[in-house]
Each structure stands twice: as C-alpha cells, then as structure tokens.
Amino acid sequence: MELNYKLLEQIINIDSPTGYCNKVIAYLENVVKELGYQYYKNQKGNLIVEVKGTSNYTKGLSAHVDTLGLMVRSINGNGTLKFTTLGGPLLNTYNAEYCKVYTRDNKVYTGTILSTSPAVHVFPDSRSKELKEDTMCVRLDEIVYSANDTKKLGIQTGDIIAIDPKFEITESGYVKTRFLDDKASAFLLLELLRYLKENNITLKDNLKLIFTTYEEVGFGASNIPDIDEMLAVDMGCIGLDLNCTEEQVSICAKDSGGPYDYDMITNLINLAKENNIDYAVDIYPFYSSDATASLKAGNDIKAALIGTGVAASHGMERTHKHGLENTFNLIKAYLNI
C-alpha cells in the first residue's frame, strides 16, 4: 500500500501545541468515523480507537498528536509578547520563525518569534545574545506600540502560540517539517486503519490505538485503556553513537525510563529481520515516551518503543519516506498482518 502523504501534511498543519489539541483530535476523529471504527475520548482528550480481533489478548499502539509550542507569559511594554515554552523546544531554532497566537475568544493573530536584540544595525549584542525565554519575544503583525494596544486585541496571559511547521517533501523523498515528533506516527496509525479496512483484515488480537495529547509534558498515556501490551510509535533519534538513519525504523532498547520489555524488543528485531525491514536498535538517554509514562503510572503491561528515524528532533526535523515505510511495515509485522 502506498502511504497517503497528503494526510501527513494535513495533520502536521493543524496547530496542536501540548494542551491545545482539540482541533487535531477532531480531525482524527472524523477520519476514524469515516473508516467506520468504534472510538471514544477520555477526559484528557486522548482518542482511543478499538479494533476487534479473534483472541482475548489486547495490544495497544500509541502515538501522540501534541507538539512543542509556546504560551503567552505576559505582555511587554512595547506590545510584544513574553512567552513560556510548552515542552522542550530548541529555542535557537525558533528565532525568526513565523507563529500564530490563539486567543481565548477564538481570534488568531500572526507574528514572528525574535530575539529582543533583532537588528544588527541597532543592537551591539544582536549576534551574540543567548537565545532563551528571557531574551526572546513575539512581534505581532498588528499595529501595537504598548501593552495596552495588545490587550485591546484580546491577547492575554495563557494564550497559545503555535509555530509554523513549514512542511515540505523533497523529490529525493525527505520529509522536512517540524513536529514529525510525533504526528508522523499518528499518520501511520491512521494509515494502518485504512489498510485494515481496505483489505478486510481481521486481526488475531484485539487492538486499541491510543492518540495522546500530553506526551510532550510527560503524562500522555499515564492512564490507558485495558490492554496487555503497548507499542509506543514515536520517533527514532539520530546522532552521536546512535545507529539509526532517517531511512530506517528505530527499535529502542532503553530510554531515560529504563529498558523496555526484553521479549517484545527481541520479537521486533526478529520480525524486522524476517520481513527484510531496514531497522536499527538504539538507546536514548535523553528521551521518554508514552510507554514510559504508562509504565511509571503503574499500568500492568509489557511495553516497547519504535519509530522512524528523525534528524534534529525538537528543532527543524527531517525523516525519509523509507523510514516511514519501514516503520509501517514493522507495525504490520508486529500485528501479524
């Protein structure tokens, strides 16, 4: 099956910083509804899709749709916005990026994230200033010269600031955009549902797909439906002594939360070998997933983690179609299809 990358673009382009996921969940809900699957949402806004199998064993696949972003912390005297981060973005990659501000009364304003010393012709430290929350701001595309001018627009503390993802697919097959972590995996799970539907496949085990909304702040899958094991589909890391490339599916043996289930990881490795899936096994010391959150919350499950290799995570990310396709094929092998 050819993956529908237009669907990935549509998901990426729906702004959903962590804590502001209603729109993207509504979009996924419509896709699931059109495919004819049963689903429900919990109080956190997580979307859970149920696919009946023939056994009494239940597998869970998770992907998170919340992304990194910003929130208005206060309004500066000149009308620009001071912000706080949502999740852990690399702020040096946010400098000079376009953004949108979502107000509580459903207004949307555009702007640009900038250093507070943004002009080389004016500020002697414009080239050297460290980029952090206290030295950056959002310049609105509105005629504002004071804090009061900005407040009159309806902008206030707690408003969401979403970053332009800049989605692009190159002729060589690279997918360049922010927020592949983890909308790329959400896309693959939706494509899995389409694959099952179009091929009239009945699974051996029951399956629950869990689309979570608070992964970037650590508790997306802390409460999960009744499952026996969970495969988090997130992203593979690239760099330092890691093995993974953008063309591969990563199998994570251990992250900051500790080792994943030994038997599940061994099975995933064997499935990749048996099905000629290009893969790598790695350890991510600065990483946690929805599976980590679920285990730490005390859920009695087995858990493992896979994902397409993503370069420059939490910055301007990039993967390759081959990596996404290898991940999709490993998911299918894991489900015995």
Side-chain angles (χ1 to χ4, degrees), residues 74-104:
S74 59
I75 301 173
N76 295 318
N78 62 358
T80 60
L81 306 178
K82 188 181 240 350
F83 61 75
T84 183
T85 57
L86 296 174
L90 286 174
L91 282 181
N92 60 311
T93 72
Y94 278 20
N95 190 31
E97 287 285 37
Y98 294 160
C99 63
K100 293 177 184 174
V101 180
Y102 289 87
T103 72
R104 298 282 171 172

Side-chain angles (χ1 to χ4, degrees), residues 9 26 40 54 91 166 181 192 198 206-207 320-321:
E9 182 177 8
Y40 64 93
T54 58
L91 282 181
K166 300 196 298 191
D181 174 19
L192 172 67
E198 290 181 350
N206 298 316
L207 176 63
H320 196 279
K321 285 183 175 181

Side-chain angles (χ1 to χ4, degrees), residues 25 30 57 60 63 74 83 88-89 99 105 118 132 144 156 196 203 209 225 229 244 255 270 283 293 295 299 326 337:
I25 286 293
N30 284 334
Y57 197 83
S74 59
F83 61 75
C99 63
D105 56 356
K132 53 185 181 179
V144 293
Q156 63 181 330
L196 295 174
L203 295 172
L209 304 187
E229 65 181 60
C244 192
D255 66 13
N270 290 336
I283 291 171
L295 291 168
N299 291 287
N326 280 311
I337 56 177

Side-chain angles (χ1 to χ4, degrees), residues 245-257:
T245 71
E246 291 157 278
E247 293 187 90
Q248 295 176 307
V249 54
S250 168
I251 302 171
C252 180
K254 173 183 179 289
D255 66 13
S256 64

Side-chain angles (χ1 to χ4, degrees), residues 244-285:
C244 192
T245 71
E246 291 157 278
E247 293 187 90
Q248 295 176 307
V249 54
S250 168
I251 302 171
C252 180
K254 173 183 179 289
D255 66 13
S256 64
Y260 285 101
D261 184 84
Y262 189 87
D263 292 335
M264 283 188 71
I265 296 299
T266 301
N267 182 49
L268 289 165
I269 292 170
N270 290 336
L271 287 171
K273 290 177 180 177
E274 292 165 8
N275 291 277
N276 296 313
I277 296 168
D278 195 5
Y279 76 99
V281 181
D282 272 315
I283 291 171
Y284 302 143

